[in-house]
Amino acid sequence: MNEDELKQRLAAQANTPIDPTAKRAAIAAALNEFKRVHADQASEEKNQKKSQGIFHWLRLTSRSHHDDRSRDMKFAQQKWLLGSVATGCVAVFAVMLSLHNPDLTTPPPVDKPPARTPAAAGSNHSSGKEVVEEVTVTGMRESLHAVPEMERHALQESDAISAQDIGALPSHEAARNLQRFASPAASSEAKREVLMKREASSFMPRKPDLEPPHQLETADRDHFDTVATNPIKVTREEPVSTFSIDVDTASYSFVRRQLNRGQLPQKAAVRLEEMVNYFPYDYPLPSAATAPFKPTITVIPAPWNQAKRLVHIGIKALPLAHPPKANLVFLLDVSGSMGSPDKLPLVKQSMELLLSGLQPTDTVSIVVYAGAAGTVLEPTPVAEQQKILAALDRLNAGGSTAGAQGIELAYQLAEANYQKDAVNRIILATDGDFNVGIADPEQLKGYVERKRANGIELSILGFGSGNYNDALMQQLAQNGNGVAAYIDTLSEAQKVLVEQASGTLFTVAKDVKIQVEFNPATVAEYRLLGYETRALKREDFNNDAVDAGEIGAGHTVTAIYEITPAGSKAALVDNQRYTAAPTTDAAATIATGTDTDKASEYGFLKIRYKQPGGSESQLISAPIPVAMDATQTQLREAQFGAAVAGFAQWLKDPRYLGNWSLDDALKLAQANKGDDPYGYRTEFVQLVRKAKIAKPM
């Protein structure tokens, strides 16, 4: 091996990390060889030399300045000798590298050099020892990871600026200040700037790096409660059905998000009643202000089985002519899990939209939580909108998720600033990932339920996916007398917080319960479509102590029963051998005109509700007729609701649909879109098309 070949091989391995053990062994061998060659030199010559490590022989100096011929000749001989020794040391070093890395003997192709790994590239620029230092920011703990010790020392030398001040800034600003503090000339100016930012922002946790895109698109860790679909009930055995109404829409928004990504949603995410209630319906309002709503009943053939019927019950609440004042507490999750663009940034935009629809005399407070909770904005009139927007703009995501502590602080703030003549409501915006403090749903439910008695309501706005905890948010909203919505786009925020703001914020009827008693003479079987999580016991209907759902101003609520008429061959449950069959044939009874009242009704509807400030319920009732004259508007709204209900069943549990397909849902929805001023129904048609090509999870 000549010197040129050795250089080429060493150059080819420039990017290969050197094993420390091999390096030390090569250096030790070179030192031993050097000591052996120079063992015969005089001790006084050794004392005059100052060691330069292994490379001291490169210093072309001698022990004296004599220029006699004998000294020059001796120095020339030493130079050649030492050069040979150096070449031998390099050869030993190369052999050690070859033993450590066998691939050294086979140089890589010239046209495809080995690529430098990111880790190796980064190591060339690192200096000092890396440490992890915990800092506290307004009651929250954050970490400054991988801070070089030299820069940390510069921070410690700055007596006016502590690590807490740096941790209170976004990460990119902290990095710039770390560099500036290393320069004594610029330290005073940097300190003043950081202190000014610290005074301007009472809560600015460090913004972490965003998750990789493939993690943001993952929904595997989203948590939904799995609930069995309502079964078919035999009317003779169980004629009464009781449930609480529900105006939540979170399920539809989540399903839409998944379908827009080309994925079918997980079955547990599909709640039929929330899919149907996502849309406003053109139901008639009560003619007098004696009640906040009146029921509209429509009976149509079931589109997936013409031998069955759908009993469509619609409710539309009165809008408010003069909305009351609002005292709102924005409870915002700013933990690390909220760092992605579809979470905290969208939360800020959503709150800005909500502000645009409030009255100047309304008040807004802001509480945030991550590793701990803190108040960002004390109660402030909406007239000072710029102050509220500035507080929102300063928020960044980082840390763990102490959601329970945030809820407690929000209730404390709402109670301290309670306004008797206003709607007092907490609006929680989160992905539901509570991982610090109280995380047990039952404990949180109990806490929210107790606070509800003080006149403070809780509404939930869900954001993002990947660790979306729908189950927890549904339970909190139901126990907090509020709605649960899922915000996946700015357009959805516009719908929930602007177009339907009155329904979201202002309740016109609370503890609304529905009870239907079906007539065994006309109905053989029935099943309630959806509302599985809202089922009540029969005795709960008349018990005013039992909590139920709320209806906001202008809200519409829809409930659908599928019934099998008596005597129909479409019945799925056979008559019992040892139980007498019904003695009255519905068709014969209607033909002869006997027992007219029972034979002309499929059932009887009863609705109980309380006024927003009341404690005693009031009753509304109406029969469900077998024969009825429905208007074109009623039929259209019922048919569109049936299309949505059929689509939801196809996504979740299609066992009762027979051969009914997505093409059938598409045709039914298109034919009954109506005016569709906001385009919600047109969007639904597109979602059905996307479901046809979506991939299962």
Side-chain angles (χ1 to χ4, degrees):
M1 180 187 299
N2 56 34
E3 186 174 354
D4 291 337
E5 292 176 346
L6 179 61
K7 289 181 178 180
Q8 289 179 2
R9 295 189 180 187
L10 290 174
Q13 295 298 320
N15 296 325
T16 302
I18 298 175
D19 181 60
T21 304
K23 181 177 179 181
R24 287 194 297 269
I27 293 175
L31 285 173
N32 291 334
E33 183 67 15
F34 179 81
K35 291 178 181 180
R36 187 186 64 77
V37 172
H38 291 274
D40 57 343
Q41 293 186 359
S43 60
E44 63 273 12
E45 183 179 356
K46 294 181 182 178
N47 293 334
Q48 290 179 5
K49 292 181 180 179
K50 293 186 177 180
S51 175
Q52 300 298 319
I54 187 174
F55 301 108
H56 80 272
W57 52 270
L58 294 175
R59 295 176 55 88
L60 301 179
T61 58
S62 63
R63 61 176 179 167
S64 67
H65 297 284
H66 298 292
D67 54 348
D68 56 87
R69 185 177 181 83
S70 62
R71 184 196 62 78
D72 291 338
M73 292 178 63
K74 183 177 180 182
F75 182 79
Q77 293 174 354
Q78 289 179 349
K79 181 173 69 174
W80 285 104
L81 180 60
L82 293 177
S84 301
V85 172
T87 302
C89 291
V90 172
V92 171
F93 188 70
V95 171
M96 296 299 296
L97 286 178
S98 300
L99 293 174
H100 172 66
N101 186 2
D103 294 336
L104 182 65
T105 57
T106 306
V110 177
D111 58 343
K112 192 175 182 181
R116 183 183 295 270
T117 62
S123 63
N124 292 337
H125 300 284
S126 63
S127 61
K129 182 181 179 181
E130 293 187 346
V131 299
V132 176
E133 182 174 359
E134 294 287 287
V135 296
T136 304
V137 184
T138 320
M140 302 184 65
R141 299 195 63 80
E142 295 296 335
S143 298
L144 286 175
H145 295 282
V147 179
E149 188 170 353
M150 180 180 66
E151 295 176 343
R152 185 168 66 89
H153 179 71
L155 278 176
Q156 294 172 346
E157 292 296 323
S158 302
D159 53 352
I161 305 297
S162 67
Q164 179 177 350
D165 301 318
I166 302 302
L169 296 175
S171 58
H172 62 280
E173 294 186 15
R176 288 201 298 268
N177 280 283
L178 284 171
Q179 296 175 355
R180 291 165 60 187
F181 290 154
S183 173
S187 61
S188 298
E189 179 184 355
K191 295 174 188 177
R192 285 195 299 270
E193 180 179 343
V194 173
L195 287 175
M196 290 176 65
K197 290 186 177 183
R198 185 184 182 188
E199 291 295 325
S201 173
S202 62
F203 197 95
M204 293 179 67
R206 180 177 62 85
K207 184 175 182 180
D209 294 333
L210 298 181
E211 294 179 315
H214 70 278
Q215 292 182 5
L216 294 178
E217 298 297 322
T218 299
D220 294 342
R221 293 182 292 118
D222 297 325
H223 179 56
F224 296 87
D225 278 342
T226 301
V227 181
T229 302
N230 283 330
I232 289 177
K233 302 290 184 69
V234 177
T235 307
R236 296 192 312 274
E237 299 172 357
E238 193 174 348
V240 179
S241 170
T242 309
F243 65 96
S244 164
I245 63 95
D246 186 6
V247 295
D248 296 341
T249 60
S251 177
Y252 182 89
S253 302
F254 189 86
V255 168
R256 176 181 59 200
R257 180 189 184 111
Q258 296 303 99
L259 291 175
N260 285 335
R261 291 177 171 181
Q263 274 189 336
L264 290 175
Q266 51 183 291
K267 293 181 181 295
V270 182
R271 289 186 290 272
L272 187 147
E273 72 278 5
E274 294 186 20
M275 298 282 287
V276 173
N277 283 321
Y278 180 83
F279 304 92
Y281 294 88
D282 189 8
Y283 301 143
L285 293 170
S287 57
T290 55
F293 54 82
K294 76 170 186 178
T296 299
I297 301 172
T298 308
V299 180
I300 61 173
W304 45 85
N305 190 335
Q306 293 293 308
K308 294 178 179 286
R309 300 288 184 268
L310 296 184
V311 176
H312 189 277
I313 303 169
I315 295 172
K316 184 171 184 178
L318 284 168
L320 291 176
H322 304 287
K325 291 174 59 180
N327 175 34
L328 305 179
V329 179
F330 294 170
L331 176 56
L332 309 181
D333 184 351
V334 295
S335 62
S337 66
M338 294 290 289
S340 56
D342 59 345
K343 294 186 180 181
L344 185 57
L346 186 55
V347 168
K348 294 181 183 180
Q349 294 174 317
S350 301
M351 295 302 102
E352 292 176 10
L353 284 175
L354 178 57
L355 283 174
S356 67
L358 297 177
Q359 301 299 317
T361 55
D362 295 337
T363 59
V364 168
S365 312
I366 301 178
V367 173
V368 295
Y369 64 90
T375 300
V376 171
L377 183 72
E378 296 292 337
T380 303
V382 174
E384 301 179 33
Q385 190 172 111
Q386 292 304 316
K387 181 179 179 181
I388 302 172
L389 293 177
L392 287 170
D393 188 60
R394 291 196 298 266
L395 301 179
N396 290 302
S400 52
T401 316
Q405 187 175 351
I407 291 176
E408 292 175 4
L409 181 58
Y411 273 108
Q412 292 173 10
L413 190 61
E415 290 173 346
N417 299 278
Y418 183 84
Q419 299 180 27
K420 188 175 181 180
D421 60 340
V423 172
N424 298 272
R425 184 180 295 273
I426 297 171
I427 299 178
L428 169 59
T430 179
D431 60 4
D433 184 23
F434 294 2
N435 53 35
V436 173
I438 301 174
D440 179 27
E442 292 302 320
Q443 294 185 47
L444 287 170
K445 282 170 52 181
Y447 179 83
V448 171
E449 187 176 352
R450 289 190 296 272
K451 293 297 182 180
R452 181 184 67 205
N454 297 334
I456 300 173
E457 300 170 330
L458 173 67
S459 292
I460 309 291
L461 302 179
F463 291 82
S465 64
N467 56 348
Y468 175 62
N469 193 340
D470 172 85
L472 176 60
M473 292 189 289
Q474 286 290 320
Q475 294 176 17
L476 293 180
Q478 290 182 19
N479 287 271
N481 278 4
V483 300
Y486 179 79
I487 309 297
D488 58 332
T489 63
L490 198 58
S491 297
E492 183 64 15
Q494 174 78 15
K495 174 182 181 290
V496 173
L497 301 176
V498 179
E499 295 162 8
Q500 299 176 357
S502 294
T504 303
L505 298 177
F506 307 116
T507 301
V508 297
K510 68 177 185 178
D511 292 341
V512 183
K513 308 168 188 174
I514 292 180
Q515 187 172 80
V516 177
E517 180 184 356
F518 287 101
N519 181 6
T522 56
V523 177
E525 302 168 346
Y526 70 90
R527 67 184 179 100
L528 175 62
L529 305 187
Y531 290 96
E532 286 86 358
T533 63
R534 294 285 190 159
L536 297 175
K537 297 177 181 178
R538 183 173 179 177
E539 61 268 25
D540 291 341
F541 182 74
N542 292 320
N543 187 350
D544 287 346
V546 175
D547 181 56
E550 281 65 44
I551 298 180
H555 257 160
T556 59
V557 184
T558 302
I560 303 174
Y561 282 94
E562 179 193 82
I563 64 173
T564 305
S568 172
K569 295 181 179 180
L572 294 178
V573 181
D574 294 334
N575 292 327
Q576 297 181 32
R577 176 180 178 87
Y578 302 105
T579 301
T583 57
T584 303
D585 182 88
T589 304
I590 294 175
T592 59
T594 60
D595 205 3
T596 306
D597 291 341
K598 292 183 179 180
S600 63
E601 295 176 0
Y602 281 130
F604 195 74
L605 169 68
K606 295 187 290 185
I607 302 175
R608 283 201 175 273
Y609 72 95
K610 297 176 187 174
Q611 296 289 347
S615 58
E616 293 185 3
S617 65
Q618 301 180 42
L619 178 65
I620 298 175
S621 60
I624 303 173
V626 172
M628 62 182 306
D629 295 327
T631 65
Q632 289 298 320
T633 300
Q634 283 181 259
L635 292 174
R636 182 193 67 209
E637 300 302 274
Q639 294 283 7
F640 184 82
V644 180
F647 178 63
Q649 291 178 84
W650 186 90
L651 291 173
K652 184 181 181 69
D653 185 359
R655 67 177 123 163
Y656 298 113
L657 295 181
N659 296 324
W660 199 73
S661 67
L662 290 182
D663 288 330
D664 297 319
L666 195 62
K667 293 176 183 178
L668 189 61
Q670 282 181 318
N672 295 279
K673 287 193 301 184
D675 294 337
D676 194 25
Y678 296 108
Y680 302 146
R681 299 189 179 190
T682 301
E683 179 190 58
F684 172 75
V685 170
Q686 298 303 321
L687 289 183
V688 176
R689 290 195 175 103
K690 291 179 180 179
K692 294 174 65 177
I693 59 174
K695 298 179 180 179
M697 293 187 63

